[in-house]
Amino acid sequence: MKNTTIHLHTAFDIGEVDPRLFGGFLEHMGRCVYEGVFEPESAHADEDGFRRDVLAALQRLAMPVIRYPGGNFASGYHWMDGVGPRESRPTVRDLAWQSIETNHFGTEEFLLLCRKLDWTPMLSANLGTGTPEEARDWVEYCNAPAGSRYADMRVEGGTPAPHAVPLWCLGNEMDGPWQLGHVPAEQYAIRAQQAAKMMKDVDRSIELVLCGSSTVALPSYMQWDRGVLEYVGGLVDYMSLHRYVDNRAGDTADFLAVTNAVDRQIEEMDAVCRFVQARRRSNKRAYLCFDEWNVWYKNMEMDGAGKHAPHLIEELYNLEDALVVAGFFNSFLRHADVVKIANIAQIVNVIAPIQTQGDQLLLQSIFHVFEMYSKRKRGRALRPVVQGPSYEAATNGRVHTIDTSAILDHDTLHVFATNRSLEAHAPVEIRLADRTITASLDCEIVTGDDPKAENSFENPNRIRAEAFHDTRLAEGAAHTRLPPMSTTAMTFALG
Ligand code: AHR
């Protein structure tokens, strides 16, 4: 393959990387909560019923923010069912996933977990079957000082100090006909505005996320976004967007080019936000919150059949999926000025980097890519200019064979590069025009010889991050040779 040059310059500055781009999502779905993070009967359970092995794996991902309790689940969830003494909480039927919800894990358990793992909590209010007032009451329960009804409920439960939950979603995927309580944009806008006003009246410091289009496939795409944002206007801080991608066509080259579609979705949503901001003659810009994203298509089992913690959408991830996860991160970093929060869906068992099976735990291929990026997330994103081979993908258009992003952290440079070629090594030169690369500090790679290779409980280390030594420095630039079907994170020292 011909040479690729990644041109960088410290003045090609996109903006500070918001660490919340490396967030996660914990939903009451399948075995994400129960048998995932929370399993008091497990041999691994700590004194609060959390699985130590799962928490240790999650700690490695260093997720700064976690969204909870859904997802579609949130639109039928009444938060009061999940607070107070555990023995008196009701067992209810969850209609989103046709499952039984015991409410043994609720607000306090989630917030305790957040403290244990240093997560910033992000709560999704129920604007499907719930009322704006119920959302307001939840803010009071979590964030108000003692001295009023819901705050005192928290205090009686043993938590005197407010939790100070800073981020709240105004519902979930309210544009989707599958959503409990789905309504047309005009009605959602009214509900969201009422909730937003009351929630901020309780706590002025909170930030709010408005439901934008959950998929580009719906006819209301962009129209919904414009309508709801115009109505709710300056009360919200972020617009939510979701994306699940697939390789149903069995075309790996096209699948790896899905970064074009993700870039485009971000740019389109940002365009609506800027349009509405201009129409409102406002200085307040709504940023993007990509609060669900992942690969998801192989396991579509979503019917819990009336069971508690059923096995739902337990997707197994392979090498090509891991490279696509890297592509999502590259897209987010290339748009670091616009995308401020992103939550991989989900964190355990349900379309997740971590799987449990009895007392065993498996790290999936995507876990290793997530960890590789997450540990390099501090700094300012630089705009890379790529010169080199490209190809025309069947549905996603033309892409460079090398997909890349970069973060400058003072005297350290992180360069992420994915070789999308299925068969050829790629010679790559990395140049930072106004600085000298003086040393290769820490480079890792995730690769393999089969795009469909995956980890399993029998063979757990087939896909993992390994040290990458194939970098050479010459005249202030770095030179490397990236194996086919690989994603690499390279950390360099700068002179
Ligand atoms: O993450 C699984 C589901 O996908 C979420 O509950 C929903 O918001 C989305 O459609």
Side-chain angles (χ1 to χ4, degrees):
M1 194 193 309
K2 287 205 172 117
N3 196 58
T4 293
T5 305
I6 301 173
H7 296 277
L8 298 163
H9 192 294
T10 61
F12 298 171
D13 177 74
I14 301 173
E16 189 74 27
V17 176
D18 194 319
R20 296 175 303 173
L21 292 183
F22 299 85
F25 170 40
L26 173 68
E27 176 164 15
H28 283 258
M29 177 179 188
R31 301 189 307 127
C32 193
V33 171
Y34 308 105
E35 297 183 23
V37 291
F38 186 69
E39 194 175 8
E41 309 75 32
S42 163
H44 298 293
D46 70 8
E47 64 287 2
D48 298 305
F50 300 114
R51 277 187 68 141
R52 282 197 182 89
D53 56 340
V54 173
L55 270 50
L58 285 167
Q59 218 136 23
R60 285 175 56 182
L61 297 182
M63 292 170 161
V65 59
I66 300 286
R67 178 169 176 253
Y68 170 83
N72 295 348
F73 175 83
S75 295
Y77 181 62
H78 299 289
W79 65 268
M80 290 234 267
D81 291 347
V83 296
R86 202 170 278 159
E87 48 305 343
S88 47
R89 297 184 197 168
T91 292
V92 299
R93 190 169 284 277
D94 154 41
L95 297 182
W97 309 118
Q98 295 296 320
S99 306
I100 293 299
E101 175 54 56
T102 60
N103 283 303
H104 285 182
F105 187 100
T107 304
E108 290 299 335
E109 288 75 15
F110 173 63
L111 294 171
L112 175 59
L113 184 56
C114 287
R115 289 195 293 279
K116 284 185 188 233
L117 290 186
D118 203 15
W119 292 339
T120 296
M122 175 175 179
L123 293 177
S124 304
N126 175 357
L127 289 195
T129 62
T131 62
E133 191 168 31
E134 185 180 349
R136 182 221 84 95
D137 297 344
W138 203 8
V139 178
E140 180 182 316
Y141 174 90
C142 292
N143 289 6
S148 58
R149 190 196 311 180
Y150 299 104
D152 287 349
M153 212 182 253
R154 180 195 72 235
V155 177
E156 277 154 32
T159 314
H163 289 294
V165 175
L167 270 170
W168 295 78
C169 303
L170 297 165
N172 174 69
E173 295 192 345
M174 289 300 298
D175 62 324
W178 58 85
Q179 200 67 213
L180 294 169
H182 157 73
V183 281
E186 300 70 27
Q187 287 176 43
Y188 168 66
I190 293 169
R191 244 183 238 178
Q193 191 276 345
Q194 291 174 343
K197 172 163 179 359
M198 288 192 281
M199 291 163 86
K200 284 205 168 172
D201 283 347
V202 174
D203 181 352
R204 296 258 167 246
S205 73
I206 61 173
E207 290 195 305
L208 297 176
V209 184
L210 189 64
C211 285
S213 287
S214 56
T215 159
V216 298
L218 281 175
S220 57
Y221 180 60
M222 296 286 98
Q223 200 59 38
W224 167 281
D225 307 273
R226 173 189 170 175
V228 298
L229 192 57
E230 269 181 350
Y231 190 84
V232 188
L235 280 170
V236 295
D237 304 280
Y238 305 96
M239 209 48 188
S240 144
L241 60 166
H242 293 176
R243 184 89 181 212
Y244 292 104
V245 299
D246 69 79
N247 188 12
R248 286 198 175 89
D251 181 342
T252 299
D254 193 35
F255 187 40
L256 298 181
V258 77
T259 47
N260 269 356
V262 177
D263 284 345
R264 181 168 167 184
Q265 187 181 353
I266 291 170
E267 286 156 24
E268 287 171 346
M269 186 64 93
D270 183 46
V272 175
C273 292
R274 301 309 299 270
F275 172 84
V276 174
Q277 182 188 358
R279 293 265 303 150
R280 298 182 61 250
R281 279 91 174 155
S282 167
N283 287 328
K284 179 161 179 177
R285 179 166 177 187
Y287 290 99
L288 305 194
C289 173
F290 219 122
D291 52 18
E292 285 182 35
W293 65 270
N294 206 343
V295 175
W296 173 23
Y297 68 106
K298 298 181 216 101
N299 185 331
M300 301 305 288
E301 183 53 71
M302 285 180 269
D303 184 350
K307 295 202 184 77
H308 173 62
H311 287 250
L312 300 181
I313 57 169
E314 301 202 359
E315 185 103 353
L316 293 178
Y317 289 107
N318 57 32
L319 174 61
E320 65 180 19
D321 300 331
L323 303 193
V324 167
V325 162
F328 269 104
F329 284 131
N330 290 336
S331 279
F332 299 156
L333 291 171
R334 287 193 295 260
H335 296 89
D337 52 337
V338 173
V339 186
K340 300 295 175 187
I341 305 169
N343 309 70
I344 191 169
Q346 299 186 7
I347 54 173
V348 192
N349 288 330
V350 174
I351 45 172
I354 300 164
Q355 286 294 123
T356 64
Q357 183 179 280
D359 287 341
Q360 289 178 283
L361 177 138
L362 176 71
L363 306 181
Q364 297 226 52
S365 62
I366 63 172
F367 177 96
H368 300 288
V369 170
F370 196 110
E371 184 183 33
M372 212 164 79
Y373 274 75
S374 186
K375 63 183 175 193
R376 295 176 171 84
K377 60 180 171 285
R378 303 278 163 186
R380 301 189 68 85
L382 296 184
R383 189 172 309 289
V385 174
V386 177
Q387 270 183 320
S390 62
Y391 67 91
E392 189 69 31
T395 66
N396 285 308
R398 181 155 290 278
V399 286
H400 280 110
T401 306
I402 301 300
D403 184 45
T404 188
S405 62
I407 298 178
L408 176 69
D409 184 14
H410 305 284
D411 292 334
T412 304
L413 175 71
H414 306 295
V415 178
F416 305 97
T418 298
N419 180 5
R420 299 190 246 224
S421 169
L422 308 189
E423 65 281 324
H425 276 76
V428 175
E429 180 178 346
I430 300 160
R431 292 201 159 273
L432 183 61
D434 59 335
R435 300 279 302 262
T436 304
I437 298 178
T438 54
S440 178
L441 296 179
D442 171 22
C443 302
E444 292 175 279
I445 189 166
V446 171
T447 189
D449 51 13
D450 178 359
K452 305 297 181 191
E454 60 192 26
N455 294 340
S456 62
F457 284 95
E458 296 69 43
N459 189 358
N461 293 318
R462 199 160 167 207
I463 305 294
R464 60 182 169 170
E466 291 174 285
F468 180 61
H469 301 293
D470 199 354
T471 55
R472 186 173 55 80
L473 304 186
E475 293 166 11
H479 301 260
T480 180
R481 208 167 148 266
L482 303 179
M485 294 285 304
S486 68
T487 188
T488 312
M490 293 167 276
T491 299
F492 301 110
L494 302 177

